[in-house]
Amino acid sequence: MEPSSTAGELRRWLTTCGGFIHPFVSLSQGEFGLSAIAQDTIDADTTIVSCPFSLAIDLECSLHALTALFGDATLVDLQSWSERQLICTYICLHWIFPDSSPIPDVLRHLPYLKSLPPADALLTPLQFTSSELEAFRGTNIYGATLDRQESWSAEWNKCRTFIHAVNADWAERYTWDKYLIASTYLSTRAFPSTLLSRSPTLQTTSSSYPFMLPGVDILNHSRGQPVSWCTSYPEGSTQERDDSATISIISHTKTPHGEEVFNNYGLKANDELILGYGFSLPQNPDDKITLQLGGSSNKWVIGRLASGAEGLWNEVRRLVAETPEEIGYEDDLEAAQLLLEMVQKKCDLLPNLPDENDAGVRPAVRLMLKHYLEGQRDILTSLKLHFEKRQEAAVEAAMGEGIELVFDDE
């Protein structure tokens, strides 16, 4: 028996519509939404959850529903909307009808949406207070949050203006708060549309877009968790996209009784986890920092232990050398000095962690910032050591040529 009515309703709705949740999996309501808990030992290589393509909240589902509600004459205009505008507006329309009136049949996902975390449990940076966001000033998360808010707000305004021409009452209820919640659901629970193919993959492409898979998104993230995605098509089906097909998650590890069943979202750094999902990982080995020289189109993604630094090093060496084909120790010294200064500036820009007793920053937000800063400072420290070794190697090369270098004391 499910511990909450929304969890039970979700399971009934999903199974009635052709989905599947393993009978040993209980949907437990936690602070940040539902989790999948093993009520008995679940063996390895077991299908945990399945969802038919017909239940996916994707471009086709959303466009069909909005056209039915707004009228066939709106199809051309709706086709100019982004995938996020279509999907988020489809979600929002579930919430604009009064409780006393039934919602249209084309809005099919209310049991699923009821199971998602309430607004006050969402914790991406767009749900931060002003003082919490200010604590991230100096990080790439700060600027990315402002950019995202501006972009999503512009999308919402465009959609609301369009809806007002169709139905002013609907437009009145189509608020920014609702659009933000829908957009956050899409951000925190989306999968790439590349999964809706006969060879499902989590790798995005230039034509893929985020979409939602009810039930499948219950499973939380655990780095390195061995899982497989599997699609099943009816016998004789040859279509690339068949709504009667299902997509499943298979867990390849045994889950003991009482333990949570996890998915694996892929290798993600803490800045991506915080901005997109609203959580972080301690000592995240996938943390990274992106560095770009002024006037250059190259963006160098550097990981822990200065992985990926060679491309940046070589670019700077070529820039400072009078003859890029003949780079000497003087060029290496100059390049090392420039890069050490760049690293120091990045360190200086990072904010300090707020005090634990700071009432203006919630503990969960402070923890995300703590995890993020640890990763950034570790990477920058490894870069500093990397370029200092380059500097030492240049000094040794000069000595090998009989030249003793004298540096001014700082």
Side-chain angles (χ1 to χ4, degrees):
M1 184 175 179
E2 303 295 351
S4 72
S5 60
T6 55
E9 186 179 359
L10 173 64
R11 184 189 285 267
R12 287 190 295 273
W13 173 78
L14 184 65
T15 54
T16 299
C17 295
F20 167 81
I21 299 177
H22 193 281
F24 289 174
V25 170
S26 174
L27 305 182
S28 176
Q29 187 71 49
E31 182 181 0
F32 300 111
L34 295 175
S35 299
I37 307 298
Q39 293 305 294
D40 201 342
T41 299
I42 300 175
D43 292 333
D45 305 321
T46 297
T47 298
I48 303 299
V49 60
S50 300
C51 178
F53 284 13
S54 59
L55 283 187
I57 303 180
D58 63 353
L59 177 61
E60 292 183 14
C61 159
S62 302
L63 187 58
H64 169 74
L66 297 190
T67 304
L69 291 170
F70 298 160
D72 291 341
T74 64
L75 176 60
V76 174
D77 288 327
L78 289 173
Q79 287 174 330
S80 70
W81 288 15
S82 69
E83 291 89 354
R84 184 169 57 247
Q85 285 174 295
L86 290 167
I87 291 172
C88 292
T89 298
Y90 170 75
I91 292 172
C92 288
L93 290 176
H94 287 76
W95 302 325
I96 69 172
F97 293 93
D99 293 337
S100 58
S101 63
I103 67 173
D105 291 341
V106 291
L107 301 174
R108 306 165 47 226
H109 288 84
L110 192 59
Y112 164 63
L113 296 174
K114 284 181 177 179
S115 74
L116 300 184
D120 58 5
L122 301 177
L123 211 59
T124 74
L126 267 73
Q127 280 81 34
F128 289 178
T129 65
S130 57
S131 58
E132 288 171 342
L133 183 57
E134 186 64 26
F136 281 79
R137 184 185 287 273
T139 72
N140 63 342
I141 294 175
Y142 181 85
T145 300
L146 298 181
D147 291 343
R148 176 167 287 190
Q149 176 147 2
E150 182 180 4
S151 173
W152 287 4
S153 179
E155 291 176 356
W156 166 72
N157 271 305
K158 177 183 176 180
C159 295
R160 188 171 183 272
T161 300
F162 180 87
I163 295 172
H164 189 275
V166 175
N167 188 309
D169 186 46
W170 291 357
E172 186 68 23
R173 298 193 185 110
Y174 180 83
T175 63
W176 163 245
D177 287 344
K178 287 186 175 70
Y179 191 83
L180 176 58
I181 294 170
S183 296
T184 303
Y185 284 161
L186 184 59
S187 167
T188 57
R189 314 186 79 82
F191 300 100
S193 58
T194 46
L195 284 175
L196 298 175
S197 70
R198 290 184 176 270
S199 300
T201 174
L202 290 172
Q203 295 298 316
T204 59
T205 67
S206 59
S207 60
S208 65
Y209 62 89
F211 80 107
M212 300 172 75
L213 279 173
V216 174
D217 60 1
I218 294 169
L219 304 183
N220 291 318
H221 173 60
S222 178
R223 183 185 183 275
Q225 179 72 16
V227 300
S228 293
W229 293 83
C230 178
T231 52
S232 301
Y233 285 78
E235 186 176 354
S237 172
T238 59
Q239 297 172 279
E240 177 66 19
R241 165 68 185 271
D242 187 329
D243 279 351
S244 58
T246 61
I247 186 163
S248 308
I249 292 183
I250 300 172
S251 176
H252 296 301
T253 56
K254 183 170 74 173
T255 307
H257 170 264
E259 295 294 319
E260 184 171 357
V261 186
F262 287 104
N263 188 8
N264 182 353
Y265 299 173
L267 304 180
K268 296 184 183 297
N270 272 333
D271 56 353
E272 185 177 356
L273 291 174
I274 294 168
L275 187 65
Y277 299 88
F279 72 91
S280 59
L281 299 177
Q283 304 287 323
N284 188 344
D286 304 312
D287 274 338
K288 65 183 186 303
I289 191 168
T290 301
L291 298 177
Q292 184 176 18
L293 301 175
S296 172
S297 60
N298 294 323
K299 293 184 178 181
W300 303 103
V301 179
I302 315 296
R304 291 182 187 261
L305 301 178
S307 61
E310 283 305 297
L312 175 62
W313 166 251
N314 289 327
E315 182 181 19
V316 174
R317 292 176 80 212
R318 289 191 297 268
L319 285 175
V320 301
E322 291 186 9
T323 307
E325 295 77 16
E326 300 178 8
I327 299 177
Y329 69 84
E330 292 177 319
D331 303 313
D332 284 351
L333 283 171
E334 185 177 356
Q337 185 60 36
L338 287 172
L339 286 165
L340 286 169
E341 290 173 2
M342 173 191 284
V343 168
Q344 188 58 52
K345 287 179 181 178
K346 293 291 290 186
C347 288
D348 293 343
L349 285 172
L350 289 176
N352 294 319
L353 187 66
D355 187 88
E356 289 185 3
N357 298 320
D358 187 341
V361 179
R362 287 169 288 179
V365 175
R366 183 183 183 276
L367 183 62
M368 283 189 274
L369 179 57
K370 179 180 179 180
H371 291 163
Y372 173 81
L373 290 176
E374 181 279 324
Q376 298 296 288
R377 291 194 170 115
D378 181 68
I379 294 169
L380 290 170
T381 297
S382 70
L383 275 176
K384 182 173 183 288
L385 292 173
H386 182 83
F387 296 135
E388 284 177 345
K389 288 180 180 178
R390 292 291 188 180
Q391 191 176 55
E392 292 170 3
V395 171
E396 291 177 3
M399 293 176 64
E401 295 183 19
I403 299 172
E404 183 177 353
L405 300 173
V406 178
F407 297 95
D408 294 333
D409 292 333
E410 294 184 358

